[in-house]
Amino acid sequence: MVHGFLSIHIIFFSILFLWMGYRLLVFANGPIRSFTIPNFFMLKYLVFAYVGSVLYNVVFFQLELNYGMYSNLDYVFNVWLYSSLGIVLIPLGMLIANLFFKFDNNSLNEKFFSKPLKTFNVNLGVLLSIIIILLVSSFSLYIYRSIIGELPIIHVFSGTNEAVLALMRSDAGNNFSGKLHWFKFLIGASSKFMLIILFFNKRRNFIWKFLFSICLFYVLFISVMNLNKAPIIDLILLLFVSGIIQKKKINLKLIFGLSITVFFLLIMMYVFFMGQADKNIIAIFKIIFHRVFVSQIVPFYWYQDMQSSIGFLMGSSFPNPGGFLPFENFQITTKAFNHAFPAKVSTGLVGSLPTVFYADWWANFGAFGAIFSMLLLGFILQFLDLIFKSYVSINKSIIPIAYYVYLMFFMSKYVGTSYVGILFDFEFVLISILAVILYFISIFKFNSIK
């Protein structure tokens, strides 16, 4: 074991922290019967951060051993310690929000899930708007492809080796020359938001079912085009959560089926897209297990190691819009990658090393910053949930529900990245504006499409 007998204590206290976090979550939000913004975030935190932090402190992983990520066991222990604090302090922040706004989220959940979903008479304006948005997204994909050349997915079928594909993935993302945030919004975010709307309307008639099928195929393609695993998993989860919201309860059979589907698709991606066809199924399963449970949390090790060399950043990695504040922004994810993998950087690979949200706060202000960020994020999650559930409970129509599902996914991404720039997040602002526009179009008096 990594820490010897201490690792046994880590397992015991992990179970205790997990129980405390669950009790606080239920106390703040009531029994978990469906997905909400807070409990979906905590589920992803458990899977992508907490489980991995425990395992990292109990068993040795060969990949981390190869990179020297057990050289300082204090850093390894801190990965578990802070993730354990998060499993308790994030729900505590939710409870503080309830007390601050004097809301009973338990009764609000009852109202939210008891009322049926209103499938309003979708008008011609909404239909045309969705078609136009998907056409603009497709045209943006064409422009994006013309800038980077062939998409990485195309080169898979030409026998390109894994090293070249890795560079192509880098060129398509971190090393992209252009306004990548615009392309991410127009190609990815806007089409996924349309997919959620179409999901809730697909049973109305053939037109909506056909448009949903087209949109699903398109989003599936853009999810795999750069050979990244996360987008395809997010797509499956997006459809799954939308179905749970529609049915108003969590189905354990669906969760089991979803887990099998995700692992099957990941195996297919690793075999056909990631150059792992020469490995047996057990070896591929180990890679996937590591990718899902471990790889998101362990980069916090390098943030600590980097801090020991350069000191605390004192806010310099936080957003500085327009250079208004008197400091130059420190690109912490890129700097952490360069610090951790200088050999890869020397080959021309431009990388990024995001990790759990509180790592950024820790690198700037130490333990106080990390703890404060946990309470603050819990407060923000609960605030958003209270605001939107209160509105949707009154007006339970498609656009607000779709936006709520989008917001659930948007906030859950902060399990694996910093949230300090949330107010300046390009995607969040534009999707919010788009949702408002579509909502007003939906209540405008066009000819309805039954």
Side-chain angles (χ1 to χ4, degrees):
M1 290 190 172
V2 174
H3 300 282
F5 189 69
L6 177 60
S7 292
I8 302 296
H9 289 81
I10 286 175
I11 295 173
F12 171 77
F13 282 103
S14 297
I15 296 171
L16 180 61
F17 277 119
L18 189 58
W19 179 81
M20 291 170 60
Y22 173 75
R23 295 309 304 169
L24 280 170
L25 183 64
V26 170
F27 190 50
N29 295 287
I32 298 174
R33 51 186 291 188
S34 185
F35 288 122
T36 62
I37 293 173
N39 65 37
F40 186 67
F41 180 91
M42 293 307 299
L43 174 63
K44 290 190 74 172
Y45 183 85
L46 173 66
V47 173
F48 294 106
Y50 196 60
V51 171
S53 74
V54 177
L55 294 174
Y56 182 43
N57 277 268
V58 174
V59 299
F60 289 99
F61 290 97
Q62 190 60 50
L63 184 63
E64 280 64 37
L65 275 172
N66 294 342
Y67 285 128
M69 296 175 68
Y70 289 97
S71 300
N72 191 320
L73 292 184
D74 287 341
Y75 296 166
V76 176
F77 180 78
N78 283 341
V79 171
W80 171 79
L81 177 63
Y82 282 98
S83 69
S84 296
L85 290 174
I87 206 83
V88 173
L89 294 181
I90 298 170
L92 182 60
M94 298 173 190
L95 187 59
I96 292 172
N98 284 352
L99 297 174
F100 182 83
F101 294 107
K102 298 180 180 179
F103 260 97
D104 181 359
N105 207 17
N106 191 9
S107 61
L108 185 59
N109 279 338
E110 288 293 327
K111 185 185 298 184
F112 178 74
F113 291 113
S114 61
K115 284 191 174 183
L117 177 67
K118 295 178 182 177
T119 53
F120 57 83
N121 289 339
V122 183
N123 59 43
L124 183 62
V126 174
L127 176 65
L128 292 176
S129 297
I130 292 175
I131 294 173
I132 290 171
I133 290 167
L134 292 177
L135 289 174
V136 170
S137 179
S138 302
F139 181 72
S140 301
L141 176 59
Y142 172 78
I143 299 297
Y144 174 78
R145 181 243 179 228
S146 67
I147 294 175
I148 68 171
E150 289 290 354
L151 296 169
I153 186 68
I154 304 299
H155 284 266
V156 169
F157 303 103
S158 62
T160 305
N161 64 53
E162 173 58 23
V164 175
L165 288 174
L167 286 173
M168 293 186 68
R169 286 196 295 271
S170 178
D171 290 338
N174 298 311
N175 204 26
F176 179 78
S177 58
K179 301 293 185 181
L180 184 59
H181 56 280
W182 272 107
F183 286 105
K184 282 185 174 180
F185 168 73
L186 293 172
I187 297 172
S190 63
S191 61
K192 287 180 181 178
F193 185 45
M194 296 306 101
L195 183 66
I196 302 171
I197 297 172
L198 290 167
F199 177 90
F200 287 116
N201 261 309
K202 69 182 187 297
R203 295 183 179 178
R204 295 186 65 80
N205 57 37
F206 174 77
I207 295 176
W208 290 100
K209 185 178 294 185
F210 177 75
L211 195 54
F212 169 76
S213 300
I214 295 296
C215 186
L216 177 59
F217 178 80
Y218 175 71
V219 174
L220 179 62
F221 175 77
I222 64 177
S223 296
V224 301
M225 67 182 184
N226 288 333
L227 305 181
N228 295 317
K229 282 82 67 181
I232 190 67
I233 296 175
D234 282 344
L235 172 59
I236 296 170
L237 286 173
L238 186 69
L239 296 172
F240 173 72
V241 170
S242 298
I244 292 297
I245 294 294
Q246 192 174 55
K247 294 178 181 297
K248 296 181 290 186
K249 65 177 182 178
I250 295 176
N251 188 310
L252 293 179
K253 290 183 179 179
L254 282 177
I255 291 177
F256 178 76
L258 174 71
S259 302
I260 298 298
T261 302
V262 167
F263 270 97
F264 175 77
L265 287 175
L266 285 173
I267 289 172
M268 293 298 101
M269 287 196 72
Y270 273 96
V271 170
F272 295 108
F273 298 160
M274 308 302 294
Q276 305 294 330
D278 59 325
K279 292 184 172 61
N280 60 48
I281 191 69
I282 295 176
I284 294 175
F285 182 83
K286 288 180 179 179
I287 294 172
I288 294 172
F289 182 89
H290 182 276
R291 176 65 183 85
V292 171
F293 294 105
V294 181
S295 63
Q296 196 71 63
I297 184 69
V298 295
F300 184 34
Y301 178 97
W302 291 117
Y303 281 60
Q304 298 175 74
D305 192 64
M306 183 173 66
Q307 183 277 329
S308 67
S309 301
I310 64 176
F312 289 114
L313 301 175
M314 304 308 294
S316 63
S317 72
F318 286 6
N320 187 7
F324 176 77
L325 299 173
F327 66 87
E328 183 178 350
N329 181 257
F330 184 88
Q331 298 292 330
I332 190 168
T333 57
T334 303
K335 298 291 186 181
F337 182 89
N338 296 343
H339 176 81
F341 310 113
K344 291 184 178 181
V345 175
S346 66
T347 65
L349 185 67
V350 179
S352 177
L353 199 65
T355 188
V356 65
F357 69 90
Y358 53 74
D360 191 6
W361 289 79
W362 183 91
N364 281 276
F365 305 112
F368 173 80
I371 291 171
F372 175 77
S373 72
M374 297 168 189
L375 292 169
L376 178 61
L377 183 57
F379 188 96
I380 293 171
L381 291 169
Q382 196 76 342
F383 169 73
L384 291 173
D385 199 58
L386 292 170
I387 291 296
F388 285 98
K389 275 197 311 202
S390 297
Y391 177 77
V392 172
S393 296
I394 299 171
N395 182 19
K396 206 168 183 182
S397 56
I398 298 296
I399 303 298
I401 285 286
Y403 183 72
Y404 181 78
V405 173
Y406 158 79
L407 203 59
M408 192 184 302
F409 270 82
F410 177 82
M411 293 305 299
S412 72
K413 76 177 183 179
Y414 292 120
V415 167
T417 190
S418 175
Y419 70 90
V420 293
I422 185 172
L423 294 178
F424 309 101
D425 192 290
F426 190 80
E427 177 188 330
F428 175 67
V429 172
L430 289 184
I431 287 290
S432 299
I433 293 172
L434 182 60
V436 171
I437 292 172
L438 286 174
Y439 177 71
F440 279 107
I441 292 174
S442 72
I443 62 176
F444 197 73
K445 297 299 181 181
F446 288 92
N447 292 325
S448 294
I449 298 178
K450 301 284 186 177

